[in-house]
């Protein structure tokens, strides 16, 4: 039995399905931890496979190769270094389990199978995994260590059982996606478990982007009195070796680390940067192209792209029509200059004239949508010519109520603003114009003219058009949408909470439900809030249930 332990926490990125690369990264981290004298190394949940593996788990060949790679990882621990807790898949009796394997000196010392499988919001683990039995502590160097895996700490039963079974420390490997205010929820949860069990809890999370999900890291250690003694960084990979001692009151972490994690709106902005960076790079795109209209949505999207990929990998194209103002032309040009990215102007006027000849009876909305669709035809052609991914620039407010053109401004490969309401877009733009985030590849100083932020939003598809001709002010609209979408409130509940007229709220609900078919065809985008479209909020397209007055 030992009275001292050095536990290394590896806050790592991942590549889903890249078993060999993920295994190599874990072994590289193990060697670094060994150089610092670590006894035990904790890696994130399912670090070998990447998270979430989704239906890859249902593919027998994937599970077979995961087993092979796990065995190779275990064998590799015969080299000097710390024991390692490996996040992997275990298949037994035809069932797949989300598992942690403890390995050292070329042998498996123990394992834990995840019991509580999340099946809400972004999670579908019951679809691919079977629940394990309630876990027992693992023993290492005479110390009983509880390893509740991610969701296992959200239900009190697992941690309570581990404490009753003699666990002395709780080490929690996670794959916890970022969302607004998630950090405080995690702190509160872990504090409750630490106080309830009387045990210190180490919460380890991964970093990086995986399709629509972004992982922020922000790992920490909490003592039984609720004190957070270690706070690791957010967004970046990090290896932290911590010292632990057995005291008269139990095990305590003597290491102190206090990294200040990002607050709003910087956390949202960095989520967008990380999400776009990993999506574009992992899918082999050499850069991105976007329509740079002179409006705030495209300006912010361009800023995120430059910060994520670098100015040389971003190409902004202004596609004016006869309704495009001189101010918009100037603002788009100035955005590109401030960001240092590429900029071209390609007029759509000849295409509009050609379609007017083809379809002379077009009026109203059809004429407006033709412009949006011609822009996307041009942008996709340019995208094909250089291989750059088309970045879509629509925001959540527009997507919610269908104020977007199918096969027009909705077309593209990825959308960084997909889960950002318009009021959030304004907040992010104002913040970025005064602050360059850590790790950004873009410039210091302003990234867009102030006029882009202050002028009334407009699609500029008809003379003197303003968004508020068709929609309530965004400050009103977004409060209504937050109630209807994020909180799943009824029309009357939203009206009471916001003070807005129930008829207005009912009209917004109708628009929201009618636009479902459009959202099903929208590109993926970074999840920010608790109810993003696609992974979290899944409504039927043909739907006759309304909460408002009939």
């Amino acid at each position: 039995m030992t009275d001292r332990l050095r536990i290394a926490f590896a806050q790592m990125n991942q590549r889903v399905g890249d078993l060999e690369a993920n295994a190599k990264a874990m072994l590289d981290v193990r060697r670094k931890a060994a150089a610092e004298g670590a006894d035990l190394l904790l890696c994130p949940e399912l670090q070998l496979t990447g998270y979430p593996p989704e239906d890859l788990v249902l593919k027998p060949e994937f599970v077979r190769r995961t087993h092979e790679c796990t065995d190779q990882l275990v064998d590799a621990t015969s080299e000097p270094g710390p024991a390692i807790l490996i996040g992997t898949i275990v298949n037994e009796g035809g069932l797949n389990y989300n598992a942690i394997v403890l390995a050292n000196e070329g042998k498996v010392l123990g394992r834990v199978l995840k019991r509580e499988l999340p099946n809400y919001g972004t999670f579908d683990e019951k679809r691919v995994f079977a629940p394990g039995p309630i876990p027992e502590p693992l023993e290492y160097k005479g110390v009983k260590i509880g390893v509740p895996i991610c969701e296992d700490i959200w239900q009190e039963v697992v941690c309570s059982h581990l404490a009753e079974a003699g666990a002395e420390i709780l080490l929690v490997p996670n794959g916890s996606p970022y969302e607004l205010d998630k950090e405080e929820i995690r702190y509160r949860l872990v504090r409750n478990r630490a106080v309830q069990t009387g045990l210190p809890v180490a919460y380890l999370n991964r970093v990086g982007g995986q399709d629509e999900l972004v992982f922020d890291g922000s790992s920490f250690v909490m003592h039984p009195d609720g004190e957070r003694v270690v706070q690791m960084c957010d967004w970046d990979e990090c290896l932290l070796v911590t010292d632990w001692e057995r005291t008269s009151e139990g095990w305590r972490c003597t290491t102190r680390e206090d990294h200040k994690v990002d607050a709003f709106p910087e956390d949202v902005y960095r989520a967008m940067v990380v999400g776009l960076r990993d999506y574009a790079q992992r899918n082999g795109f050499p850069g991105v192209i976007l329509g740079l209209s002179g409006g705030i949505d495209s300006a912010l999207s361009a800023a995120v792209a430059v910060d994520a990929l670098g100015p040389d990998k971003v190409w902004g194209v202004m596609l004016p029509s006869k309704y495009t103002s001189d101010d918009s032309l100037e603002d788009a040009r100035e955005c590109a200059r401030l960001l240092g990215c590429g900029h071209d102007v390609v007029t759509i006027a000849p295409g509009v004239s050609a379609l007017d000849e083809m379809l002379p009876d077009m009026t109203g909305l059809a004429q407006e949508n033709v412009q949006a669709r011609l822009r996307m035809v041009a942008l996709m052609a340019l995208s094909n010519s250089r291989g750059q991914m088309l970045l879509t620039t629509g925001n959540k407010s527009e997507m919610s109520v269908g104020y977007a053109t199918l096969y027009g401004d909705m077309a593209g490969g990825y959308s960084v603003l997909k889960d950002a309401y318009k009021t959030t877009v304004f907040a992010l733009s104002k913040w970025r114009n005064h602050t360059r985030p850590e790790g950004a590849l873009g410039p210091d100083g302003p990234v867009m003219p102030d006029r882009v932020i202050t002028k009334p939003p407009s699609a500029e598809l008809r003379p003197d058009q303003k968004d508020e001709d068709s929609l309530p002010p965004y400050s009103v609209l977004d409060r209504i949408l937050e109630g209807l979408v994020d909180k799943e409130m009824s029309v009357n509940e939203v009206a009471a909470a916001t003070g807005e007229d129930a008829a207005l709220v009912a009209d917004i609900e109708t628009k929201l439900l009618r636009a479902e078919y459009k959202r099903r065809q929208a590109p993926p985008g970074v999840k920010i809030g608790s109810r993003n479209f696609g992974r979290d909020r899944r409504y039927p397209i043909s739907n006759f249930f309304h909460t408002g007055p009939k």
Side-chain angles (χ1 to χ4, degrees), residues 230-454:
V230 168
Q231 175 64 67
M232 294 172 66
C233 64
D234 47 358
W235 307 114
D236 296 321
E237 289 191 301
C238 175
L239 174 67
L240 180 67
V241 178
T242 59
D243 289 301
W244 295 69
E245 292 182 358
R246 189 193 301 273
T247 72
S248 58
E249 297 179 335
W251 282 89
R252 296 294 183 268
C253 179
T254 60
T255 300
R256 296 294 181 269
E257 181 88 5
D258 187 18
H259 182 98
K260 182 176 173 55
V261 297
D262 295 334
F264 180 85
E266 184 169 6
D267 59 339
V268 173
Y269 192 89
R270 293 195 70 186
M272 292 176 171
V273 168
V274 169
L276 177 60
R277 179 199 68 199
D278 285 358
Y279 188 85
Q281 291 177 355
R282 289 172 182 175
N283 288 284
F285 293 106
V288 298
I289 182 173
L290 74 160
L292 200 55
S293 69
I296 192 168
D297 293 333
S298 65
L300 179 59
S301 297
V304 171
V306 167
D307 283 338
L309 305 172
D312 59 318
K313 292 182 171 59
V314 179
W315 185 17
V317 182
M318 168 48 118
L319 298 120
S321 73
K322 65 181 180 180
Y323 302 117
T324 302
S325 67
D326 290 340
D327 285 353
S328 292
L329 286 163
E330 182 181 325
D331 289 343
R333 185 168 53 249
E334 182 64 3
C335 279
R337 187 191 71 78
L338 290 170
L339 288 167
C341 68
H343 176 252
D344 280 306
V345 179
V346 178
T347 179
I348 62 169
V352 173
S353 297
L355 278 167
D356 282 343
E357 288 185 26
M358 288 173 58
L359 303 169
D361 295 329
M362 278 195 306
T363 58
L365 186 61
Q367 287 182 323
E368 293 179 28
N369 286 343
V370 156
Q371 297 169 66
R373 290 182 177 126
L374 279 171
R375 287 186 173 114
M376 289 306 112
V377 168
L379 287 169
M380 280 305 305
L382 294 171
S383 170
N384 292 157
S385 71
R386 295 193 185 181
Q388 293 165 310
M389 180 181 72
L390 177 55
L391 192 64
T392 308
T393 61
N395 61 67
K396 190 173 184 177
S397 303
E398 296 169 347
M399 290 294 297
S400 295
V401 295
Y403 193 66
T405 303
L406 198 58
Y407 320 123
D409 55 323
M410 288 178 61
Y414 202 72
S415 172
V416 294
L417 306 185
K418 182 178 179 179
D419 201 29
Y421 289 115
K422 189 77 169 191
T423 48
T424 302
V425 170
F426 281 110
L428 291 169
S429 300
K430 292 173 184 175
W431 175 84
R432 181 59 182 94
N433 245 15
H434 295 92
T435 311
R436 180 175 180 266
E438 184 179 346
L441 301 179
D444 287 318
V447 294
M448 65 186 76
D450 284 339
R451 182 169 60 191
V452 168
I453 301 173
T454 58

Side-chain angles (χ1 to χ4, degrees), residues 484 489-500 502-503 505-506 509 547-549:
L484 294 174
M489 297 165 69
S490 70
V491 165
N492 288 336
E493 288 171 333
V494 172
T498 62
E500 300 298 335
V505 180
E509 183 192 53
T547 66

Side-chain angles (χ1 to χ4, degrees), residues 61-340:
E61 179 66 6
F62 177 73
V63 176
R64 187 188 68 78
R65 291 192 190 180
T66 299
H67 270 225
E68 285 182 356
C69 213
T70 303
D71 291 342
Q72 292 165 8
L73 258 179
V74 172
D75 290 342
T77 65
S78 58
E79 295 183 11
I84 179 172
L85 288 159
I86 303 166
T88 186
I89 295 171
V90 167
N91 179 277
E92 283 188 351
L95 299 175
N96 293 314
Y97 298 94
N98 181 336
I100 289 287
V101 171
L102 174 61
N104 197 31
E105 297 180 341
K107 297 177 292 188
V108 172
L109 306 182
R111 70 178 193 186
V112 170
L113 307 180
K114 187 174 182 179
R115 175 182 172 85
E116 303 295 339
L117 302 177
N119 214 61
Y120 55 86
T122 64
F123 305 106
D124 283 314
E125 288 199 31
K126 289 183 180 179
R127 175 182 173 88
V128 297
F129 290 118
I134 195 159
E136 302 296 331
L138 302 174
E139 189 163 327
Y140 180 64
K141 290 198 169 187
V143 183
K144 288 189 173 183
I145 299 172
V147 187
I149 304 172
C150 199
E151 189 75 10
D152 284 345
I153 66 166
W154 291 78
Q155 306 298 324
E156 186 177 345
V157 61
V158 173
C159 292
S160 295
H161 176 80
L162 287 167
E164 291 167 3
E168 301 169 81
I169 302 171
L170 297 179
L171 302 182
V172 188
N174 289 271
S176 179
Y178 164 83
E179 63 184 51
L180 279 167
D181 303 322
K182 187 78 166 283
E183 177 187 312
E184 286 303 320
I185 295 171
R186 293 175 188 148
Y187 292 154
R188 187 163 57 249
L189 170 71
V190 173
R191 185 175 290 112
N192 287 342
R193 295 293 173 260
V195 171
Q196 288 164 2
T197 61
L199 300 176
V201 181
Y203 182 101
L204 177 73
N205 195 25
R206 63 167 37 90
V207 294
Q210 172 57 27
D211 295 346
E212 294 187 275
L213 301 182
V214 183
F215 300 93
D216 57 313
S218 307
S219 307
F220 60 95
V221 176
M222 190 84 71
H223 273 176
D225 61 0
E227 180 187 6
R228 184 161 29 102
V229 296
V230 168
Q231 175 64 67
M232 294 172 66
C233 64
D234 47 358
W235 307 114
D236 296 321
E237 289 191 301
C238 175
L239 174 67
L240 180 67
V241 178
T242 59
D243 289 301
W244 295 69
E245 292 182 358
R246 189 193 301 273
T247 72
S248 58
E249 297 179 335
W251 282 89
R252 296 294 183 268
C253 179
T254 60
T255 300
R256 296 294 181 269
E257 181 88 5
D258 187 18
H259 182 98
K260 182 176 173 55
V261 297
D262 295 334
F264 180 85
E266 184 169 6
D267 59 339
V268 173
Y269 192 89
R270 293 195 70 186
M272 292 176 171
V273 168
V274 169
L276 177 60
R277 179 199 68 199
D278 285 358
Y279 188 85
Q281 291 177 355
R282 289 172 182 175
N283 288 284
F285 293 106
V288 298
I289 182 173
L290 74 160
L292 200 55
S293 69
I296 192 168
D297 293 333
S298 65
L300 179 59
S301 297
V304 171
V306 167
D307 283 338
L309 305 172
D312 59 318
K313 292 182 171 59
V314 179
W315 185 17
V317 182
M318 168 48 118
L319 298 120
S321 73
K322 65 181 180 180
Y323 302 117
T324 302
S325 67
D326 290 340
D327 285 353
S328 292
L329 286 163
E330 182 181 325
D331 289 343
R333 185 168 53 249
E334 182 64 3
C335 279
R337 187 191 71 78
L338 290 170
L339 288 167

